[in-house]
Amino acid sequence: MDTGRAAKSARTVVISGVPDGILKDDVMSDILVIHFQKSKNNGGDVEDIIYPTMEKGVAYVTFEDQEVAESVLKKNEHRLEDKRLSRYYPLKVTPYSKNVFSSVTSVLNMSVFKDQYVLEDLIQEIKKKNTALSFGPLQSSGHISVQGSFPAIELLRDFLLLKAKSLSEDKNEESKSHQRPKKQQQQCRLTTDTNNFVHDAEGEKQVVVLDTDTYLYMKNFLPKKLLANTDVAISDVTDGDITTLYLQKVRSRPDAGQVLAIKEEIEHQSLKLHNTLCKERICLDGYVRDEKQKYKLVCETLKSHYPSVLVIPYATHIDVIGNSLEVFEFTREVNKEVQSLFQHR
């Protein structure tokens, strides 16, 4: 085995914009191979091509050398041209992602700030500070959707929590000076009610916000970090891409610092996984019930050969989570197995 060779994922690129349905699949695969072998396209020797894939107009091309993949990515424009095509087609070439948890969506409830800020102005301030995030329109209820990487959303959450805490402290000072009763502290929340983000003084309660896919992987492959600790009770609330864990000390246990230690360990493991995990989605749209079942059965059969891959079936798709190489190989085998079953019907 050539240990010096780059991992397959590092030698693979994703091709979007492949013209769909105008030629037979094997002919289109041949045209793509020819395109990416040409020196004028910064190409080189192609080891493998996967086409068609679960996504319409998308192909995976794996080169013999990582340098060729990197060179192909540097070319500003790829135009697919061949005498078998009636015209040229622009292609988009992107690296095979090692981390597909690059985009999650959550909802912020900004109404807690409406008494102190013009919400539109506050949103503009947030946008300037968080250029890596995308924001939806501000709703009359004060809710706004936000999309971006999970770490970026976590930073935004922390910023808003500090701002909410600061407002509460200002209110308390104002209440004292005017001899008014103190109002209950309000806090911003990300989709679920997270009143416990400001932890109690004894450290008996903690809250951790995680990417849902990362949490599901941890739950399946790192159970001792989440479930097997008898000193800390952990409950979870999942809302789309975000899962909130509530950690609380078991009353009979005296060590209040144990809760904080478990929280920090979960956050540490989550960060490590977030930087290494990859997710591939097998879309089942357009397939009848029996065909969907075939996909799920093939996934279940192959799963034993990939012990570190998490397969999560849904009604409309199947999510495959693990390291990039294993996910790539797993989805490739699933695709081949299912296509073979379809051809022999």
Side-chain angles (χ1 to χ4, degrees):
M1 183 172 137
D2 183 8
T3 55
R5 195 180 193 194
K8 192 167 187 176
S9 58
R11 296 180 283 114
T12 300
V13 296
V14 182
I15 316 301
S16 305
V18 180
D20 183 71
I22 62 174
L23 295 172
K24 290 183 178 179
D25 293 338
D26 60 341
V27 175
M28 185 58 69
S29 295
D30 182 55
I31 292 174
L32 287 168
V33 169
I34 292 171
H35 174 88
F36 287 104
Q37 284 180 331
K38 290 180 177 179
S39 58
K40 73 173 186 178
N41 297 320
N42 293 359
D45 292 336
V46 172
E47 176 187 298
D48 191 21
I49 181 169
I50 300 177
Y51 182 82
T53 64
M54 305 302 172
E55 298 176 84
K56 185 176 179 181
V58 173
Y60 296 104
V61 175
T62 301
F63 296 96
E64 292 284 350
D65 298 312
Q66 182 178 353
E67 291 77 10
V68 177
E70 293 172 350
S71 179
V72 163
L73 288 166
K74 291 176 182 177
K75 184 172 173 59
N76 293 328
E77 183 182 34
H78 282 274
R79 293 163 54 130
L80 189 64
E81 298 177 285
D82 189 274
K83 62 183 181 181
R84 290 165 286 186
L85 297 172
S86 59
R87 62 180 181 85
Y88 79 84
Y89 291 86
L91 299 176
K92 180 180 180 182
V93 184
T94 54
Y96 184 81
S97 177
K98 290 185 177 180
N99 178 10
V100 190
F101 303 136
S102 57
S103 181
V104 296
T105 302
S106 194
V107 178
L108 298 174
N109 179 6
M110 304 296 292
S111 62
V112 295
F113 296 106
K114 65 183 181 181
D115 293 336
Q116 290 79 24
Y117 293 98
V118 176
L119 292 186
E120 289 79 2
D121 294 342
L122 179 57
I123 295 298
Q124 289 303 316
E125 177 191 349
I126 291 171
K127 287 181 178 179
K128 289 179 181 179
K129 291 180 179 293
N130 299 271
T131 55
L133 296 173
S134 298
F135 294 82
L138 179 65
Q139 305 297 320
S140 58
S141 62
H143 289 77
I144 185 170
S145 63
V146 56
Q147 185 178 47
S149 71
F150 187 74
I153 288 181
E154 279 193 305
L155 289 174
L156 173 59
R157 178 206 69 187
D158 293 341
F159 166 76
L160 291 174
L161 289 174
L162 286 173
K163 194 174 255 323
K165 185 179 180 182
S166 175
L167 284 176
S168 177
E169 290 171 352
D170 290 344
K171 276 186 178 182
N172 290 342
E173 290 298 322
E174 183 181 349
S175 297
K176 288 177 182 178
S177 63
H178 290 82
Q179 297 299 310
R180 292 202 304 256
K182 290 194 292 184
K183 294 183 180 179
Q184 184 177 359
Q185 178 175 334
Q186 292 177 306
Q187 295 181 2
C188 176
R189 59 184 173 89
L190 274 161
T191 63
T192 55
D193 186 9
T194 55
N195 290 338
N196 291 328
F197 270 123
V198 177
H199 313 308
D200 64 298
E202 296 181 3
E204 294 184 351
K205 298 179 182 178
Q206 298 284 343
V207 172
V208 185
V209 180
L210 301 173
D211 171 90
T212 295
D213 291 319
T214 303
Y215 168 65
L216 291 174
Y217 193 89
M218 292 176 72
K219 190 174 181 180
N220 280 270
F221 293 102
L222 302 173
K224 290 182 179 180
K225 305 295 183 188
L226 295 170
L227 304 175
N229 191 291
T230 57
D231 296 340
V232 179
I234 303 175
S235 59
D236 61 82
V237 177
T238 297
D239 187 354
D241 294 327
I242 303 293
T243 291
T244 305
L245 301 186
Y246 297 89
L247 289 67
Q248 187 165 1
K249 185 181 70 173
V250 177
R251 287 187 179 181
S252 61
R253 305 286 176 175
D255 184 9
Q258 185 73 10
V259 181
L260 181 59
I262 295 297
K263 170 185 178 290
E264 290 175 346
E265 179 62 28
I266 291 173
E267 290 178 332
H268 174 68
Q269 294 294 332
S270 171
L271 183 60
K272 285 174 60 178
L273 290 173
H274 184 86
N275 291 330
T276 58
L277 289 179
C278 167
K279 179 173 75 174
E280 190 76 25
R281 176 159 291 179
I282 301 174
C283 295
L284 302 179
D285 291 337
Y287 292 102
V288 299
R289 183 177 178 181
D290 288 346
E291 292 172 333
K292 291 180 180 180
Q293 193 60 32
K294 281 187 174 68
Y295 269 107
K296 293 176 181 178
L297 287 173
V298 169
C299 286
E300 192 64 32
T301 301
L302 290 174
K303 194 165 63 172
S304 62
H305 301 293
Y306 296 87
S308 299
V309 168
L310 176 64
V311 179
I312 311 175
Y314 297 95
T316 58
H317 62 274
I318 301 170
D319 282 343
V320 183
I321 303 172
N323 73 62
S324 59
L325 180 60
E326 288 196 341
V327 167
F328 180 84
E329 294 287 356
F330 181 89
T331 52
R332 180 188 176 203
E333 284 197 46
V334 169
N335 187 40
K336 286 186 175 180
E337 288 286 336
V338 172
Q339 293 301 323
S340 177
L341 288 175
F342 286 170
Q343 289 172 4
H344 290 87
R345 283 188 301 182

